Tab-separated table of all heavy atoms in Angstrom:
chain	number	residue	atom	x	y	z
A	29	ILE	N	0.866	-1.173	0.000
A	29	ILE	CA	0.000	0.000	0.000
A	29	ILE	C	0.902	1.221	0.000
A	29	ILE	O	1.696	1.407	0.936
A	29	ILE	CB	-0.926	0.034	1.227
A	29	ILE	CG1	-1.829	-1.205	1.250
A	29	ILE	CG2	-1.784	1.308	1.231
A	29	ILE	CD1	-2.637	-1.344	2.527
A	30	VAL	N	0.819	2.032	-1.036
A	30	VAL	CA	1.634	3.247	-1.128
A	30	VAL	C	0.868	4.429	-0.553
A	30	VAL	O	-0.292	4.655	-0.914
A	30	VAL	CB	2.037	3.533	-2.585
A	30	VAL	CG1	2.674	4.920	-2.705
A	30	VAL	CG2	2.998	2.467	-3.092
A	31	LYS	N	1.510	5.145	0.363
A	31	LYS	CA	0.999	6.442	0.804
A	31	LYS	C	1.682	7.451	-0.097
A	31	LYS	O	2.820	7.831	0.098
A	31	LYS	CB	1.337	6.672	2.282
A	31	LYS	CG	0.374	7.619	3.018
A	31	LYS	CD	0.433	9.058	2.538
A	31	LYS	CE	1.699	9.734	2.986
A	31	LYS	NZ	1.757	11.173	2.535
A	32	SER	N	0.959	7.882	-1.124
A	32	SER	CA	1.541	8.720	-2.160
A	32	SER	C	2.014	10.057	-1.589
A	32	SER	O	1.378	10.623	-0.693
A	32	SER	CB	0.502	8.968	-3.260
A	32	SER	OG	1.058	9.671	-4.334
A	33	HIS	N	3.127	10.565	-2.116
A	33	HIS	CA	3.633	11.854	-1.624
A	33	HIS	C	2.776	12.986	-2.189
A	33	HIS	O	2.522	13.040	-3.395
A	33	HIS	CB	5.091	12.061	-2.016
A	33	HIS	CG	5.757	13.098	-1.171
A	33	HIS	ND1	5.533	14.447	-1.347
A	33	HIS	CD2	6.599	12.991	-0.110
A	33	HIS	CE1	6.225	15.127	-0.452
A	33	HIS	NE2	6.880	14.264	0.314
A	34	PRO	N	2.338	13.915	-1.350
A	34	PRO	CA	1.430	14.968	-1.820
A	34	PRO	C	2.051	15.932	-2.823
A	34	PRO	O	1.325	16.610	-3.550
A	34	PRO	CB	1.038	15.700	-0.530
A	34	PRO	CG	2.129	15.399	0.441
A	34	PRO	CD	2.588	14.012	0.105
A	35	MET	N	3.371	15.996	-2.905
A	35	MET	CA	3.993	16.906	-3.862
A	35	MET	C	3.921	16.390	-5.293
A	35	MET	O	4.033	17.168	-6.240
A	35	MET	CB	5.457	17.145	-3.481
A	35	MET	CG	5.643	17.943	-2.217
A	35	MET	SD	7.399	18.239	-1.924
A	35	MET	CE	7.342	18.962	-0.271
A	36	HIS	N	3.781	15.069	-5.455
A	36	HIS	CA	3.694	14.528	-6.817
A	36	HIS	C	2.629	13.434	-6.884
A	36	HIS	O	2.853	12.329	-7.378
A	36	HIS	CB	5.049	14.018	-7.312
A	36	HIS	CG	5.824	13.185	-6.328
A	36	HIS	ND1	5.532	11.867	-6.078
A	36	HIS	CD2	6.879	13.503	-5.534
A	36	HIS	CE1	6.377	11.395	-5.191
A	36	HIS	NE2	7.204	12.363	-4.827
A	37	ALA	N	1.436	13.789	-6.404
A	37	ALA	CA	0.323	12.840	-6.384
A	37	ALA	C	-0.130	12.449	-7.792
A	37	ALA	O	-0.587	11.325	-8.016
A	37	ALA	CB	-0.852	13.428	-5.607
A	38	GLY	N	-0.020	13.365	-8.743
A	38	GLY	CA	-0.404	13.056	-10.115
A	38	GLY	C	0.535	12.036	-10.734
A	38	GLY	O	0.097	11.072	-11.377
A	39	THR	N	1.822	12.240	-10.558
A	39	THR	CA	2.815	11.265	-11.011
A	39	THR	C	2.545	9.917	-10.359
A	39	THR	O	2.575	8.871	-11.013
A	39	THR	CB	4.228	11.751	-10.654
A	39	THR	OG1	4.431	13.058	-11.190
A	39	THR	CG2	5.283	10.812	-11.193
A	40	GLY	N	2.266	9.959	-9.055
A	40	GLY	CA	1.999	8.738	-8.318
A	40	GLY	C	0.784	7.990	-8.838
A	40	GLY	O	0.803	6.760	-8.967
A	41	GLU	N	-0.286	8.727	-9.160
A	41	GLU	CA	-1.488	8.059	-9.662
A	41	GLU	C	-1.229	7.399	-11.017
A	41	GLU	O	-1.691	6.280	-11.281
A	41	GLU	CB	-2.656	9.039	-9.783
A	41	GLU	CG	-3.945	8.328	-10.199
A	41	GLU	CD	-5.095	9.265	-10.476
A	41	GLU	OE1	-5.189	10.320	-9.813
A	41	GLU	OE2	-5.916	8.950	-11.361
A	42	MET	N	-0.481	8.087	-11.876
A	42	MET	CA	-0.197	7.510	-13.181
A	42	MET	C	0.636	6.236	-13.060
A	42	MET	O	0.363	5.223	-13.719
A	42	MET	CB	0.519	8.536	-14.060
A	42	MET	CG	-0.348	9.728	-14.436
A	42	MET	SD	0.471	10.845	-15.603
A	42	MET	CE	0.443	9.859	-17.098
A	43	VAL	N	1.649	6.268	-12.213
A	43	VAL	CA	2.469	5.069	-12.006
A	43	VAL	C	1.634	3.966	-11.363
A	43	VAL	O	1.744	2.789	-11.717
A	43	VAL	CB	3.710	5.397	-11.158
A	43	VAL	CG1	4.487	4.125	-10.824
A	43	VAL	CG2	4.619	6.386	-11.885
A	44	ALA	N	0.751	4.345	-10.422
A	44	ALA	CA	-0.125	3.358	-9.779
A	44	ALA	C	-1.014	2.675	-10.811
A	44	ALA	O	-1.267	1.459	-10.730
A	44	ALA	CB	-0.973	4.029	-8.705
A	45	SER	N	-1.471	3.427	-11.792
A	45	SER	CA	-2.315	2.825	-12.832
A	45	SER	C	-1.536	1.759	-13.599
A	45	SER	O	-2.105	0.734	-14.013
A	45	SER	CB	-2.837	3.899	-13.789
A	45	SER	OG	-1.816	4.396	-14.648
A	46	ALA	N	-0.239	1.989	-13.794
A	46	ALA	CA	0.598	1.000	-14.475
A	46	ALA	C	0.737	-0.269	-13.641
A	46	ALA	O	0.695	-1.388	-14.172
A	46	ALA	CB	1.976	1.598	-14.764
A	47	VAL	N	0.904	-0.101	-12.320
A	47	VAL	CA	1.018	-1.265	-11.440
A	47	VAL	C	-0.283	-2.066	-11.448
A	47	VAL	O	-0.273	-3.306	-11.510
A	47	VAL	CB	1.367	-0.827	-10.006
A	47	VAL	CG1	1.510	-2.054	-9.092
A	47	VAL	CG2	2.661	-0.008	-9.969
A	48	ILE	N	-1.405	-1.364	-11.373
A	48	ILE	CA	-2.705	-2.039	-11.369
A	48	ILE	C	-2.935	-2.803	-12.681
A	48	ILE	O	-3.387	-3.959	-12.678
A	48	ILE	CB	-3.836	-1.021	-11.135
A	48	ILE	CG1	-3.736	-0.419	-9.731
A	48	ILE	CG2	-5.194	-1.677	-11.349
A	48	ILE	CD1	-3.868	-1.412	-8.602
A	49	LYS	N	-2.605	-2.181	-13.805
A	49	LYS	CA	-2.770	-2.860	-15.097
A	49	LYS	C	-1.886	-4.101	-15.152
A	49	LYS	O	-2.296	-5.159	-15.657
A	49	LYS	CB	-2.421	-1.911	-16.239
A	49	LYS	CG	-3.483	-0.852	-16.502
A	49	LYS	CD	-3.087	0.057	-17.655
A	49	LYS	CE	-4.131	1.139	-17.881
A	49	LYS	NZ	-3.739	2.086	-18.963
A	50	ALA	N	-0.677	-3.978	-14.640
A	50	ALA	CA	0.231	-5.126	-14.630
A	50	ALA	C	-0.317	-6.245	-13.752
A	50	ALA	O	-0.222	-7.432	-14.104
A	50	ALA	CB	1.608	-4.688	-14.140
A	51	ALA	N	-0.884	-5.885	-12.616
A	51	ALA	CA	-1.460	-6.889	-11.714
A	51	ALA	C	-2.604	-7.632	-12.405
A	51	ALA	O	-2.736	-8.858	-12.288
A	51	ALA	CB	-1.944	-6.228	-10.431
A	52	GLN	N	-3.429	-6.896	-13.129
A	52	GLN	CA	-4.556	-7.514	-13.823
A	52	GLN	C	-4.086	-8.405	-14.969
A	52	GLN	O	-4.595	-9.520	-15.156
A	52	GLN	CB	-5.502	-6.427	-14.347
A	52	GLN	CG	-6.210	-5.656	-13.236
A	52	GLN	CD	-6.989	-4.456	-13.761
A	52	GLN	OE1	-6.593	-3.831	-14.748
A	52	GLN	NE2	-8.088	-4.120	-13.107
A	53	LYS	N	-3.108	-7.934	-15.722
A	53	LYS	CA	-2.606	-8.712	-16.859
A	53	LYS	C	-1.935	-10.004	-16.416
A	53	LYS	O	-1.917	-10.985	-17.181
A	53	LYS	CB	-1.613	-7.871	-17.674
A	53	LYS	CG	-2.262	-6.811	-18.543
A	53	LYS	CD	-1.219	-6.136	-19.431
A	53	LYS	CE	-1.878	-5.165	-20.413
A	53	LYS	NZ	-0.879	-4.531	-21.308
A	54	THR	N	-1.347	-10.020	-15.227
A	54	THR	CA	-0.612	-11.202	-14.761
A	54	THR	C	-1.393	-11.998	-13.712
A	54	THR	O	-0.824	-12.856	-13.036
A	54	THR	CB	0.759	-10.780	-14.192
A	54	THR	OG1	0.572	-9.818	-13.142
A	54	THR	CG2	1.626	-10.156	-15.284
């Protein structure tokens, strides 16, 4: 569980979407 850093929450959400897609694909 990542507690995203508030200074780059947008970057964090985009990277999180990649992790989620990878989890679903595998």
Side-chain angles (χ1 to χ4, degrees):
I29 300 172
V30 170
K31 206 293 288 181
S32 185
H33 199 284
M35 291 183 188
H36 45 78
T39 305
E41 185 186 327
M42 293 185 71
V43 174
S45 73
V47 181
I48 294 298
K49 286 180 182 177
Q52 293 172 328
K53 284 186 174 182
T54 57

